[in-house]
Amino acid sequence: MTWNTSPIRPRMLIDGELVHASDGKTFSVYNPATREVSGEVPEATADDTNRAVAAAKAAFPMWSALGPAKRAVYLKKLAALIREHKDEIARLDAVAMGMPVSTHFFAESAAGQYEHYAEAWPHIQGQASVNTPGHVTMTLRQPFGVVALIIPWNVPVHFFATKSAPALITGNTVVLKTSEKAPLAVARIAELINEAGFPPGVFNVLSGHGIPSGQILSRHMDVRALSFTGSSRTGKLIQEEAARTNLKKVILELGGKSPAIIFDDANLEKAVAQTRYSMQFNSGQVCMANSRIYVQSTIAQKFVEQFKASYSSSVRSGNPLDKETNHGPQADELQYNHVLSYIKSAKQSGATLALGGSGKLETSNGYFIEPTIFLNTPEDARITKEEVFGPVVIINVFDTEKEVIAKANDTEFGLYASVFTKDISRAMRVAQALESGYVGINTTSPNTAYDLPFGGYKGSGQGREGALYSMDNFLEVKSLIMALEEE
């Protein structure tokens, strides 16, 4: 893929070939900072999707029989190529969805994911026992077959690697679909897959909208497992399609409305810096961003003053290709209008606007939104209950531990939560009470541990992912019992 100012025209990877859509149709991807066309991307047809699944199914016997040590060779080659082209990959995400190159570390981390799983395969272990008299029993861990991976647009390179690497090393073959909002970086990696020498059909990459390709993968009878990260609405649709067809295994990592709780004994400077960064990173387009902050009343005024000063002074909006920029636009016009609608609804709810509150389309010609803070937001307001996915945070006040736990849990989301306090007993009480799959104590998102499982409670998903857990998502368990002959 040549880098220039003309629209990029990537291809899909199906059965080892880089191809255009079978009907020749494409869709446009716009640079959200300039609204100029940055790419003309193939729209996968039903035939393209079915062909990719058929290729993966045909490749499965060979790939699964190859052995993980030999499969690992391909993952390591791909890791090296991604690392070699990391700057180009960062630029492609910048012109597709607006992530600043200065904050794009995901090509490097993606390479690390492939390297990790290339070495993690010895953990694919069954069990054996003689606990049943007269028998030897054991379990086998075996790949599903064809797995579908549907990744989001906000950090596409990250999810491309975290889902495909464990699926491949465990012996599955893959059909991966990118989001229509951010397909360019992954399309470049599709070229690198071929360069790494993966056998045809093992690793297929499609681009397009949810219909038809995403829907077909969700209901396809030859897809035996599907991993999706994205909105709760789409996750429910995928689950419904899977239930109506072959009951394929579905792993879902969905939205969040993450609370951060600041008690009056917390390290205030640290709490301000970390909660502000959580909202600023990727322009708030992060499922675990701490978009609800609850501050104990005795320090509320001081926290708000420091947070407001930090949020307004730390942001350098501009061209995401500029290394000085650390705050990019929203991903596209739809996201821009979506965030503005929540800002409008917050104002109508009676919340107090303390910072920002406006879009900058008219002055910047891009989908930039000012860092925005609301105070005294009603707990039943839309912006308190629903995911905004933008640089908009609400800061509310609480008095007691019991009160703030109830407020923090009063949502259908449960992806990430955090608590800042020097009282370890209180920290542990609150952490246990929070209805969240991940809890940070004196730290907040996007900080996570490499070896912990990640996933949500309630409407934030089902299943867990992570360095020690993702391989389990792509392995079936088979039980064997063997009778022993008596002497």
Side-chain angles (χ1 to χ4, degrees):
M1 189 180 293
T2 303
W3 181 261
N4 53 45
T5 56
S6 302
I8 299 159
R9 300 182 183 278
R11 290 172 290 177
M12 302 183 292
L13 179 61
I14 301 177
D15 200 13
E17 298 180 350
L18 293 166
V19 298
H20 297 291
S22 55
D23 62 1
K25 291 184 179 180
T26 63
F27 61 95
S28 299
V29 174
Y30 295 88
N31 182 335
T34 64
R35 294 194 291 170
E36 297 173 345
V37 176
S38 55
E40 293 292 345
V41 181
E43 177 74 64
T45 65
D47 287 344
D48 296 326
T49 309
N50 288 325
R51 183 184 165 212
V53 173
K57 184 178 181 181
F60 173 68
M62 173 276 301
W63 183 249
S64 59
L66 191 58
K70 292 184 178 179
R71 295 194 291 263
V73 173
Y74 296 98
L75 270 67
K76 289 181 178 180
K77 287 180 180 178
L78 181 57
L81 289 168
I82 291 173
R83 186 170 283 117
E84 179 183 343
H85 295 276
K86 64 181 181 180
D87 291 340
E88 179 187 5
I89 290 168
R91 292 196 298 268
L92 289 167
D93 269 343
V95 300
M97 52 75 61
M99 181 183 291
V101 295
S102 68
T103 65
H104 194 292
F105 56 85
F106 294 107
E108 183 68 36
S109 67
Q113 289 287 325
Y114 287 107
E115 289 169 338
H116 165 77
Y117 286 106
E119 299 292 342
W121 61 263
H123 293 282
I124 305 172
Q125 295 283 343
Q127 295 178 324
S129 89
V130 290
N131 291 330
T132 303
H135 298 78
V136 172
T137 64
M138 65 187 70
T139 59
L140 305 181
R141 309 296 303 282
Q142 295 180 297
F144 279 86
V146 179
V147 301
L149 311 174
I150 302 178
I151 63 173
W153 52 265
N154 60 330
V155 276
V157 176
H158 168 76
F159 287 105
F160 179 87
T162 59
K163 293 184 186 296
S164 65
L168 290 164
I169 197 62
T170 48
N172 299 277
T173 52
V174 166
V175 180
L176 182 145
K177 191 193 88 68
T178 58
S179 167
E180 69 276 8
K181 296 180 188 293
L184 299 183
V186 171
R188 179 66 179 106
I189 298 175
E191 298 176 357
L192 301 180
I193 291 169
N194 257 10
E195 193 174 333
F198 277 82
V202 168
F203 202 167
N204 305 272
V205 180
L206 304 176
S207 51
H209 291 71
I211 297 176
S213 53
Q215 184 182 63
I216 289 172
L217 291 174
S218 301
R219 60 171 56 159
H220 204 293
M221 295 298 291
D222 288 332
V223 173
R224 295 301 173 183
L226 188 153
S227 179
F228 168 77
T229 295
S231 72
S232 296
R233 175 183 173 276
T234 303
K236 291 176 182 178
L237 293 173
I238 288 172
Q239 186 85 302
E240 290 173 6
E241 293 287 2
R244 277 198 292 262
T245 51
N246 63 348
L247 279 176
K248 59 178 63 67
K249 180 177 181 178
V250 178
I251 304 101
L252 301 172
E253 196 258 275
L254 307 175
K257 193 66 183 177
S258 302
I261 300 170
I262 320 296
F263 285 97
D264 59 8
D265 67 336
N267 181 324
L268 196 61
E269 182 178 344
K270 180 179 179 181
V272 167
Q274 291 202 14
T275 53
R276 184 271 302 164
Y277 179 74
S278 179
M279 289 309 306
Q280 181 189 333
F281 179 68
N282 206 17
S283 303
Q285 298 172 131
V286 181
C287 54
M288 55 180 167
N290 53 216
S291 54
R292 294 184 295 151
I293 302 177
Y294 293 99
V295 187
Q296 200 155 26
S297 57
T298 48
I299 59 166
Q301 183 176 350
K302 190 175 182 181
F303 179 91
V304 169
E305 289 173 355
Q306 291 187 22
F307 189 96
K308 181 178 177 180
S310 177
Y311 207 10
S312 59
S313 64
S314 63
V315 168
R316 297 187 300 277
S317 298
N319 185 345
L321 293 171
D322 186 342
K323 292 185 178 180
E324 297 301 313
T325 298
N326 68 1
H327 185 87
Q330 307 312 118
D332 61 9
E333 182 179 14
L334 183 65
Q335 289 302 124
Y336 178 79
N337 290 330
H338 173 83
V339 175
L340 288 180
S341 73
Y342 276 100
I343 291 174
K344 182 179 179 180
S345 73
K347 293 175 180 178
Q348 293 172 342
S349 74
T352 302
L353 179 65
L355 182 72
S358 300
K360 300 170 69 176
L361 180 59
E362 294 182 1
T363 57
S364 69
N365 199 42
Y367 298 121
F368 294 90
I369 290 179
E370 297 174 317
T372 298
I373 302 171
F374 283 102
L375 308 177
N376 306 314
T377 307
E379 288 296 319
D380 60 354
R382 279 185 63 216
I383 199 169
T384 309
K385 298 293 188 185
E386 300 175 13
E387 187 173 42
V388 177
F389 229 61
V392 183
V393 63
I394 65 171
I395 304 177
N396 280 353
V397 176
F398 72 93
D399 290 310
T400 69
E401 181 180 315
K402 181 179 180 181
E403 170 197 358
V404 75
I405 290 171
K407 289 179 176 179
N409 287 339
D410 191 17
T411 172
E412 280 305 305
F413 295 106
L415 190 59
Y416 196 112
S418 57
V419 53
F420 288 81
T421 179
K422 294 176 183 176
D423 184 336
I424 188 62
S425 294
R426 177 163 59 189
M428 291 304 298
R429 284 196 309 270
V430 174
Q432 290 180 60
L434 289 169
E435 296 170 355
S436 177
Y438 216 103
V439 179
I441 296 176
N442 294 321
T443 187
T444 188
S445 63
N447 191 22
T448 57
Y450 193 71
D451 58 350
L452 284 180
F454 187 85
Y457 279 24
K458 301 188 289 191
S460 288
Q462 60 186 27
R464 295 294 184 267
E465 296 175 303
L468 301 180
Y469 296 86
S470 289
M471 289 194 298
D472 289 340
N473 291 330
F474 302 109
L475 289 167
E476 287 274 34
V477 178
K478 179 181 290 183
S479 297
L480 301 183
I481 183 167
M482 180 173 60
L484 302 178
E485 295 289 341
E486 295 184 5
E487 292 184 4

